[in-house]
RNA sequence: GGGCGUGUAGCUCAGCGGGAGAGCGUUCCGUUCACACCGGAAAGGUCACAGGUUCAAUCCCUGUCACGCCCACCA
């Protein structure tokens, strides 16, 4: 006997164990003979992570697809694993060291630190897998991978070396986004533009040798032409970053700018440092912005860098890696300095932070009378997405991937339709980004990650090979003498010491961007570069399920790498789902304190309820605002089904393998069988087309409203009545329908349904062929429903009587008589068949027939039949009059609307015949009804 | 500055060219023996606004307003 309520907390762990023991999620489990593979690779969560709502949604949707396909007999692999998450993980461990007052990373040294991270991973890295497991994610856990495990690391080496050999990875000295807190380069994508209220300082840069020009100072209001000029011996430039002026190596003006074009080629003397810098003509300078002249600092601004390249300007870096002024011992800076009264003041700023330097420089300029103006200025300032500090464009040597070349096939694959985005509008976003893609900076100055397989030797030699041994071999071949690998400092010292008997090499100290290994995930997890059977079988994958926030970071890069190394797009479909927000639509974040922990919800309502909620709300193209009340509602749904099963059990409804739904004879049975088939079709269609909300909604409303509210209620008199063939049939049908519901619901609510699958079989003394997770999906014939007319009439009758009772204030408990007027043979038959059900559900005492409606009765119009409740004194006749009048008004309005259409010649002429016909029928029906209601009202 | 998306019942959301829907909430009724995590009944909406296309528009087009989000180098 089932308990009165379903106890998710008790059942879920037990069911999870059951699946494990059955090996239900192993690749290929339950696959039919000759089945096509169905593969999903999980978006690997960070090892440092714990499950948030986004993961819960993401993995619920994947699990729905995977469980569905597994039941349909496909050869399913859901590949799980985690990502090593370079910066994030390194931060976590460094923080732990600090908390425990242990020596920091630098004090420990690289090897010890990396060892420490592995220890951390072993102890704490399993959190998220456990949480996914609790969610019911049916991954093949036996195949779990980690982006830094041996196999995946081999794939990374293979790819890096190959791309380098092909010239698609190269080392370059250019500006990068430098994070002065983490002391590493980051990619464009890791930079967040943040709006900042700053200032725009206008500086005067004096012209060299007393040169002058005519600067317009007044303009005609209409034409905008200058009307007044003054003679100036300086140029005004504006900047949001005054401290960078120390690195200025030019002033740019537009080549056609009449104000300045004669100055091109002349020089200004950079105040404070005395450097002579050229005035160059460059299109980059916009005559309409500010003064039309712009200071150029090639080493600290991406645009200026380009200008610098065009004009062969010096690149003077004036910051150190922590973004402090770097002046003393800075040869490039000191090389150009001249005689300036403030030079000593500037040098005194050496080593101070960039923001302090900014104030100091402004103060010095102001003191010199060279500060022309200060404007308030709102602009976008780049910040590190993880560190939160202002990013510094910084001149360094880094490794780059030639993304532009790799992007071409990736764009083509989507254009050709080899890979389709769902919803399709994301393709636009993908194209937009891919078509404007920049070189991808893949080196990071961190310790945790895949160390770059490059070894440096003397004279600029670089060996990019898969191992140290290969590097040594290559160096020996090139230099003709023994080589050995030493530390960077040692190697450099050896090279400076001149030629020796051996060649010293050192390995690049940097690691790769985490997304580099993630980009290989769809094939590296399957064993690539080895030609494994799994790779042959499960690649390319069927669908990638992910949020739009990582289309660029991840999806695009997997497309590029997948196509380059396997010649196949890594996924057939990319399903992009929405973000989960809080009830009010705000993004969940720790700082806002509005984070809902999925595990809390699972504890409270069960994993099934959470999963169902997420699936039911996952309509395409809209963010999910998650209200915990919703989860509670779906928990109630789980209980509802549980109780329906309990009711069935109490009434001897036993599952049987012998039952064939095609052979049922009773109308109620026929009706529910067909409705079940329709529901199965709707759920199947919903999941196949990624309309999870439709699929979830279809099982929900069928189970609750069709099956529980009507079928079971109508079946009760029979099920609880005399034994006989009719009862036996309904018992069998009921058990069968529950089985179908349980199957259809399984992708959404796997725990509850698996439990019911076992318990109902136990009760019926039936031995199931397999766990529900591996049981074939319902494939039911969908046909017209011959019983629908009868059942719909019945439902209508009962609903109407209930409504009238309620509106005319008949006491709920009162058993009342009913008189039918004008019933046809068919309708009499309906009443006869379902008399017990009608009496029970509408609280009716007797059902009689008459030629005319009794006096003072409430009346319900049901087609040609008038159903009378002749209860003077019980029925509130005023209420009844009001009710009928209200219905009459509504009918009149309907008819008026329909007439408006039918009286419009264009409508009759141009609308499709069936539409016109439909309107005619509707009018006729409404008219007939109006007459009946009018009569009824008259009788009162 | 470009692009995308969203404005439908009190709230959260479906629907999307021909009869306005769900869940939650609200109101009223109910100890009917599966379920009060329940049952029954009801109230509640010029489908943001303005034009246009169409026989017909919540749905398609254009514009406006509001709110999100993404991308972008304007000193």
């Amino acid at each position: 006997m089932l308990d009165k309520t379903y106890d998710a907390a008790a059942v879920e762990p037990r069911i999870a164990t059951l699946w494990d023991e059955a090996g239900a999620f192993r690749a290929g489990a339950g696959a039919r003979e000759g089945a096509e593979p169905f593969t999903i690779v999980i978006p690997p969560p960070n090892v440092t992570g714990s499950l948030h709502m986004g993961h819960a949604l993401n993995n619920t949707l994947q699990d729905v697809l995977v469980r569905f396909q597994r039941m349909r007999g496909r050869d399913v692999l859901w590949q799980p694993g985690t990502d090593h998450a370079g910066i994030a993980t390194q931060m976590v461990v460094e923080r732990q060291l600090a908390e425990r007052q242990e020596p920091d990373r630098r004090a420990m040294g690289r090897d010890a630190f990396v060892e420490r991270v592995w220890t951390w991973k072993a102890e704490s890295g399993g959190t998220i897998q456990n949480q996914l497991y609790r969610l019911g994610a049916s991954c093949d856990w036996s195949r779990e991978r980690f982006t830094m495990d041996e196999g995946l690391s081999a794939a990374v080496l293979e790819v890096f070396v190959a791309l380098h050999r092909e010239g698609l990875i190269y080392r370059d000295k250019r500006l990068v986004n430098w994070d002065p807190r983490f002391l590493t380069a980051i990619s464009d994508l890791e930079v967040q533009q943040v709006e900042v209220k700053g200032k725009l300082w206008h500086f005067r840069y004096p012209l060299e040798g007393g040169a002058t020009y005519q600067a317009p100072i007044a303009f005609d209001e209409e034409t905008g032409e200058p009307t007044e000029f003054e003679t100036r011996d300086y140029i005004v430039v504006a900047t949001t970053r005054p401290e960078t002026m120390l690195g200025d190596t030019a002033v740019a003006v537009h080549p056609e700018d009449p104000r300045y074009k004669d100055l091109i080629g002349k020089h200004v003397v950079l105040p404070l440092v005395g450097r002579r810098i050229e005035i160059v003509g460059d299109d980059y300078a916009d005559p309409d912005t500010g003064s039309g002249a712009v200071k150029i600092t090639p080493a600290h601004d991406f645009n200026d860098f380009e200008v610098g390249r065009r004009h062969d300007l010096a690149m003077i870096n004036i910051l150190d890696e922590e973004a402090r002024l770097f002046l003393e011992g800075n040869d490039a800076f000191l090389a150009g300095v001249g005689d300036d009264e403030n030079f000593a003041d500037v040098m005194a700023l050496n080593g101070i932070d960039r923001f302090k330097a900014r104030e100091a420089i402004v103060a010095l300029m102001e003191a010199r009378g060279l500060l022309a103006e200060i404007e308030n200025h709102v602009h976008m300032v780049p910040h590190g997405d993880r560190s939160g500090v202002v990013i510094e464009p910084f001149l360094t040597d880094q490794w780059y991937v030639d993304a532009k070349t790799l992007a071409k096939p990736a764009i083509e694959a989507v254009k050709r339709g080899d890979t389709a985005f769902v919803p399709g509008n994301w393709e636009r976003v993908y194209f937009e980004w891919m078509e404007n893609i920049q070189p991808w900076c893949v080196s990071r100055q961190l310790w945790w990650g895949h160390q770059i397989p490059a070894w440096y030797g003397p004279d600029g030699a670089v060996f990019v090979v898969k191992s140290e041994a290969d590097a040594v071999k290559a160096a020996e071949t090139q230099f003709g003498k023994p080589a050995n690998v030493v530390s960077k400092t040692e190697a450099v010292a050896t090279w400076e010491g001149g030629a020796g008997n051996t060649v010293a090499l050192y390995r690049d100290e940097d690691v790769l961007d985490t997304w580099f290994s993630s980009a290989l995930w769809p094939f590296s997890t399957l064993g690539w570069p080895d030609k494994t059977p799994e790779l042959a079988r499960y690649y390319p994958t069927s669908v990638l399920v992910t949020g739009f926030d990582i289309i660029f970071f991840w999806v695009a890069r997997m497309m590029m790498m997948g196509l380059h190394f396997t010649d196949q797009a890594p996924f057939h479909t990319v399903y992009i789902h929405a973000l989960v927000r809080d009830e009010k639509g705000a993004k969940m974040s720790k700082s806002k304190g509005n984070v809902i922990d999925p595990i809390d919800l699972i504890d409270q309502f069960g994993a099934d309820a959470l999963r169902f909620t997420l699936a039911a709300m996952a309509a395409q193209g809209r963010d999910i605002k998650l209200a915990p009340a919703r989860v509670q509602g779906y928990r109630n749904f789980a209980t509802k089904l549980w109780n329906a099963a309990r009711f069935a059990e109490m009434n001897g409804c036993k599952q049987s393998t012998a039952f064939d739904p095609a052979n049922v004879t009773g109308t109620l049975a026929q009706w529910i069988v067909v409705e079940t088939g329709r529901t199965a079709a709707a759920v199947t269609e919903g999941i196949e087309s990624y309309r999870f909300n439709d699929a979830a909604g279809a099982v929900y409303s069928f189970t609750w409203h069709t099956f529980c509210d009507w079928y079971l209620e109508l079946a009760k008199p029979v099920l609880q009545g005399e034994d006989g063939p009719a009862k036996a049939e309904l018992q069998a049908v009921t058990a069968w329908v529950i089985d179908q519901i349980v199957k259809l619901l399984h992708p959404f609510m796997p725990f509850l349904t698996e439990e019911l699958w076992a318990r109902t079989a136990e009760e019926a003394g039936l031995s199931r062929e397999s766990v529900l997770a591996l049981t074939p999906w319902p494939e039911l014939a969908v046909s017209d429903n011959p019983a629908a007319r009868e059942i719909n009439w019945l439902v209508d009758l009962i609903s109407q009587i209930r409504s009238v009772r309620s509106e005319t204030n008949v006491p709920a408990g009162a058993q009342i008589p009913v008189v039918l007027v004008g019933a046809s043979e068919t309708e009499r038959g309906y009443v006869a068949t379902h008399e017990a059900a009608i009496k029970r559900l509408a609280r009716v005492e007797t059902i009689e027939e008459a030629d005319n409606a009794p006096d003072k009765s409430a009346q319900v119009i049901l087609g040609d039949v008038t159903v009378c409740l002749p209860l003077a004194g019980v029925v509130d006749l005023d209420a009844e009059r009001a009710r009928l009048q209200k219905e009459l008004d509504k009918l009149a309005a309907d008819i008026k609307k329909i007439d408006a259409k039918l009286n419009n010649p264009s409508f009759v002429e141009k609308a499709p015949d069936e539409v016109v016909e439909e309107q005619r029928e509707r009018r006729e029906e409404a008219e007939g009804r109006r007459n009946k209601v009018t009569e009824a009202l008259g009788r009162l």
Side-chain angles (χ1 to χ4, degrees):
Chain A
M1 176 76 180
L2 296 174
D3 296 334
K4 200 165 168 181
T5 51
Y6 168 70
D7 183 359
V11 171
E12 289 178 0
R14 203 179 68 233
I15 295 294
T17 309
L18 177 78
W19 288 327
D20 283 346
E21 285 167 355
F25 308 149
R26 300 294 282 261
R32 270 184 222 155
E33 197 69 21
E36 287 289 304
F38 182 85
T39 314
I40 295 186
V41 289
I42 203 169
N46 290 354
V47 257
T48 53
S50 54
L51 196 77
H52 61 240
M53 253 336 145
H55 291 125
L57 170 67
N58 178 250
N59 288 289
T60 294
L61 299 184
Q62 290 176 75
D63 198 49
V64 168
L65 293 172
V66 155
R67 285 182 185 268
F68 170 69
Q69 296 294 359
R70 198 181 280 123
M71 289 174 80
R72 294 189 103 194
R74 294 279 287 272
D75 176 356
V76 171
L77 167 62
W78 186 9
Q79 172 65 49
T82 46
D83 191 283
H84 68 277
I87 292 184
T89 310
Q90 183 160 324
M91 267 172 75
V92 166
V93 176
E94 287 194 84
R95 199 181 305 132
Q96 192 188 61
L97 291 174
E99 274 163 15
R100 298 185 182 174
Q101 302 193 324
E102 291 180 68
D104 71 10
R105 167 165 78 95
R106 283 163 210 283
M108 287 177 87
R110 183 168 187 152
D111 291 347
F113 179 76
V114 169
E115 192 55 39
R116 180 59 182 262
V117 181
W118 279 108
T119 308
W120 177 89
K121 191 223 166 214
E123 286 167 1
S124 317
T127 311
I128 196 149
Q129 292 96 314
N130 294 332
Q131 292 175 322
L132 285 173
Y133 186 81
R134 280 202 63 191
L135 186 69
S138 65
C139 304
D140 183 350
W141 297 105
S142 71
R143 296 189 45 85
E144 193 171 346
R145 303 305 297 267
F146 178 56
T147 47
M148 271 178 60
D149 68 22
E150 221 175 282
L152 273 64
S153 298
V156 167
L157 280 179
E158 180 77 24
V159 165
F160 191 94
V161 171
L163 287 177
H164 179 261
R165 195 172 50 233
E166 297 166 50
L168 295 171
I169 278 188
Y170 54 91
R171 197 163 161 77
D172 196 7
K173 189 185 198 77
R174 44 184 287 165
L175 284 185
V176 289
N177 298 295
W178 182 263
D179 188 319
R181 179 169 160 214
F182 292 140
L183 308 183
T184 178
I186 58 178
S187 74
D188 301 347
L189 287 175
E190 292 161 279
V191 174
Q192 298 289 322
Q193 299 292 338
V194 178
E195 193 174 273
V196 169
K197 284 179 194 158
K199 292 206 175 353
L200 194 57
W201 287 272
H202 297 247
F203 289 157
R204 297 191 183 106
Y205 282 8
L207 292 164
E208 187 191 39
T212 59
Y213 68 105
Q214 294 298 309
I217 54 170
F219 302 88
D220 186 282
E221 274 184 23
E222 278 174 20
T223 63
E225 293 296 311
T227 53
E228 242 181 280
F229 295 85
E230 73 173 14
T231 304
R232 281 188 185 165
D233 59 357
Y234 59 87
I235 277 189
V236 173
V237 294
T239 180
T240 55
R241 306 197 48 200
E243 71 281 10
T244 63
M245 72 170 285
L246 302 181
D248 283 2
T249 55
V251 168
V253 297
H254 194 275
E256 307 300 325
D257 192 327
R259 294 169 294 182
Y260 302 120
K261 69 180 181 190
D262 293 342
L263 293 175
I264 293 170
K266 294 202 162 71
H267 290 74
V268 299
V269 179
L270 188 63
L272 310 185
V273 288
R275 182 185 302 130
R276 273 183 91 229
I277 60 177
E278 195 181 339
I279 299 167
V280 300
D282 193 288
D283 289 346
Y284 167 63
D286 176 3
D288 297 326
T289 302
S291 66
V294 57
K295 66 192 266 311
I296 299 297
T297 321
H300 292 287
D301 182 282
F302 287 99
N303 288 311
D304 293 6
F305 181 79
E306 296 302 324
V307 176
R309 279 204 165 165
R310 286 198 285 272
H311 297 275
D312 201 22
L313 300 174
M315 312 238 168
I316 300 174
N317 176 24
I318 51 119
L319 296 173
D320 67 12
E321 58 180 22
E322 293 182 57
R324 297 173 302 209
L325 278 191
F326 164 46
L327 306 176
E328 267 171 38
N330 182 341
D331 296 339
F333 171 72
L334 294 171
V337 298
D339 186 26
D340 188 282
E341 56 186 277
N342 286 116
F343 186 66
D345 301 323
V346 169
M347 288 308 285
L349 300 176
N350 185 54
I352 72 166
D353 173 79
R354 52 187 163 164
F355 299 111
K356 291 216 170 68
R358 180 171 303 172
E359 293 170 24
I361 296 290
V362 170
L364 286 171
M365 289 295 279
E366 187 170 20
R368 282 272 287 269
L370 297 175
L371 176 60
E373 194 188 347
I374 304 177
E375 273 182 87
N376 286 322
H377 183 64
V378 178
H379 61 140
M380 302 299 272
V381 177
H383 287 67
D385 64 353
R386 283 218 128 75
S387 67
V389 301
V390 175
I391 290 302
E392 203 60 54
F394 199 60
L395 198 55
T396 55
D397 286 305
Q398 302 287 346
W399 291 94
Y400 291 89
V401 167
D402 177 357
K404 205 175 170 65
T405 301
L406 292 173
K408 279 185 190 126
I411 293 169
E412 281 311 305
V414 175
K415 288 221 161 117
R416 268 201 311 273
D418 293 356
T419 297
F421 281 73
V422 178
N425 52 322
W426 291 108
E427 285 176 13
R428 230 184 127 111
V429 176
Y430 172 84
F431 289 138
E432 177 66 22
W433 190 71
M434 288 296 244
E435 278 158 10
N436 296 298
I437 200 163
Q438 297 297 310
W440 175 16
C441 175
V442 290
S443 43
R444 295 288 180 278
Q445 287 64 53
L446 304 172
W447 286 354
W448 175 243
H450 300 280
Q451 193 172 352
I452 289 172
W455 283 262
Y456 300 100
D459 308 328
V462 184
F463 305 98
V464 175
V465 287
K466 284 196 223 169
S467 68
E468 185 173 310
D470 288 352
V472 167
K473 206 184 295 168
E476 285 174 349
T477 308
Q478 179 167 333
F479 290 99
K481 49 187 172 183
N484 62 330
V485 174
V486 295
S487 74
K488 180 176 178 179
T489 36
E490 218 175 312
V492 173
T494 314
W495 301 341
E496 282 169 358
N501 296 330
T502 60
V503 180
L505 301 177
Y506 78 89
R507 183 170 185 177
D508 194 309
E509 296 185 323
D510 294 347
V511 301
L512 286 166
D513 182 3
T514 300
W515 296 103
F516 191 90
S517 50
S518 311
L520 317 181
W521 188 250
F523 49 97
S524 65
T525 50
L526 296 173
W528 189 94
D530 293 338
K531 291 187 168 60
T532 60
E534 289 86 352
L535 189 66
R537 179 89 187 129
Y538 295 110
Y539 187 87
T541 70
S542 309
V543 52
L544 178 78
V545 179
T546 189
F548 59 79
D549 50 331
I550 54 174
I551 290 178
F552 305 145
F553 274 112
W554 195 45
V555 181
R557 287 161 178 175
M558 285 191 286
M559 289 293 289
M560 293 193 272
M561 292 298 197
L563 280 155
H564 191 77
F565 286 97
T566 70
D567 288 326
Q568 284 176 293
F571 350 87
H572 180 261
T573 300
V574 176
Y575 177 71
I576 301 290
H577 62 248
L579 248 44
V580 184
R581 297 169 176 280
D582 75 2
E583 301 180 63
K584 296 185 200 95
K587 201 167 172 173
M588 291 189 193
S589 73
K590 277 183 196 156
S591 54
K592 278 186 219 146
N594 62 348
V595 176
I596 304 173
D597 183 348
I599 296 298
D600 287 347
L601 288 173
I602 290 175
D603 287 341
Q604 208 179 343
F605 300 117
D608 287 334
L610 174 63
R611 293 169 56 111
F612 199 91
T613 307
L614 293 170
M617 298 189 74
Q620 291 185 5
R622 198 198 271 250
D623 286 346
I624 295 177
K625 293 181 197 159
L626 187 76
R630 275 309 267 264
V631 186
Q632 183 178 336
Y634 290 121
R635 186 276 317 267
N636 295 353
F637 171 62
T639 309
K640 183 76 182 176
L641 173 59
W642 181 262
N643 274 293
R646 183 162 169 265
F647 169 79
E649 179 186 275
M650 290 165 67
N651 285 280
C653 305
K654 292 189 197 312
Q655 275 69 9
S656 155
T657 46
F659 176 77
D660 182 356
N663 295 336
V664 296
T665 55
T667 46
L668 185 58
Q670 286 178 342
W671 174 72
I672 198 67
V673 164
V674 176
E675 289 302 313
T676 305
R678 285 197 180 150
T679 305
V683 176
T684 304
E685 159 77 20
I687 299 178
E688 278 180 335
S689 55
Y690 303 98
R691 304 182 74 99
F692 299 97
N693 56 321
D694 286 348
V699 224
Y700 180 93
S701 69
F702 173 75
T703 302
W704 201 314
H705 300 121
T706 308
F707 181 66
C708 291
D709 287 351
W710 287 109
Y711 170 79
L712 285 183
E713 293 302 330
L714 291 170
K716 268 178 185 174
V718 180
L719 289 174
Q720 295 173 349
E722 299 287 311
D723 284 346
K727 177 168 169 178
E729 178 172 277
L730 279 191
Q731 284 174 324
V733 171
T734 304
W736 176 81
V737 175
I738 288 178
D739 261 10
Q740 308 317 305
I741 289 175
V742 150
K743 288 182 206 168
L744 295 173
L745 189 57
H746 183 259
F748 301 96
M749 293 191 152
F751 294 103
L752 165 78
T753 52
E754 189 72 72
E755 173 73 357
L756 278 175
W757 184 248
R759 297 290 293 272
T760 50
E762 201 177 294
E763 220 36 62
L766 188 75
S767 146
R768 301 281 197 192
E769 280 179 25
S770 65
V771 293
L772 179 60
L774 298 178
T775 296
W777 185 253
E779 307 279 356
L780 307 171
V782 182
S783 57
D784 280 346
N785 200 333
R789 197 179 138 80
E790 178 169 340
I791 302 299
N792 289 343
W793 188 85
L794 195 60
V795 164
D796 211 9
L797 172 72
I798 293 166
S799 301
Q800 295 273 11
I801 296 176
R802 282 171 170 173
S803 177
V804 175
R805 290 177 58 116
S806 174
E807 285 193 49
T808 57
N809 305 318
V810 174
Q815 300 272 348
I816 58 171
V818 157
V819 177
L820 301 180
V821 178
S824 69
E825 198 57 43
T826 318
E827 284 143 354
R828 264 184 226 122
Y830 293 168
V831 171
T833 315
H834 303 283
E835 185 173 356
I838 297 166
K839 285 181 170 171
R840 177 187 179 114
L841 297 181
R843 308 247 76 204
V844 166
E845 194 177 25
T846 54
I847 304 176
E848 286 166 10
E849 289 200 54
D851 293 336
N852 294 302
D855 271 357
K856 294 190 176 171
S857 57
Q859 299 152 82
V860 176
I861 314 304
L862 213 65
D864 293 336
V865 186
T866 303
V867 182
C868 307
L869 314 184
L871 273 184
V874 180
V875 171
D876 179 339
L877 291 177
D878 288 338
E880 171 64 0
R881 253 178 231 112
R883 188 186 73 85
L884 290 174
Q885 188 57 51
K886 191 174 146 198
E887 188 173 357
L888 216 47
D889 293 347
K890 190 174 181 308
L891 285 167
D894 282 352
I895 290 168
K896 199 174 158 194
K897 246 163 103 179
I898 297 169
D899 280 346
K901 282 185 188 176
L902 290 173
N903 293 337
N904 179 349
S906 307
F907 172 72
V908 182
E909 189 184 323
K910 295 190 178 174
D913 290 346
E914 64 268 24
V915 172
V916 177
E917 189 49 36
E918 194 192 334
Q919 295 296 323
R920 290 218 167 92
E921 279 168 19
R922 276 187 53 212
R923 194 195 182 287
E924 207 169 308
E925 204 182 308
E927 184 63 45
R929 192 168 178 82
R930 180 162 69 173
N931 293 337
K932 294 270 182 194
V933 174
T934 308
E935 278 171 34
L937 195 56
R939 279 194 294 270
L940 271 178

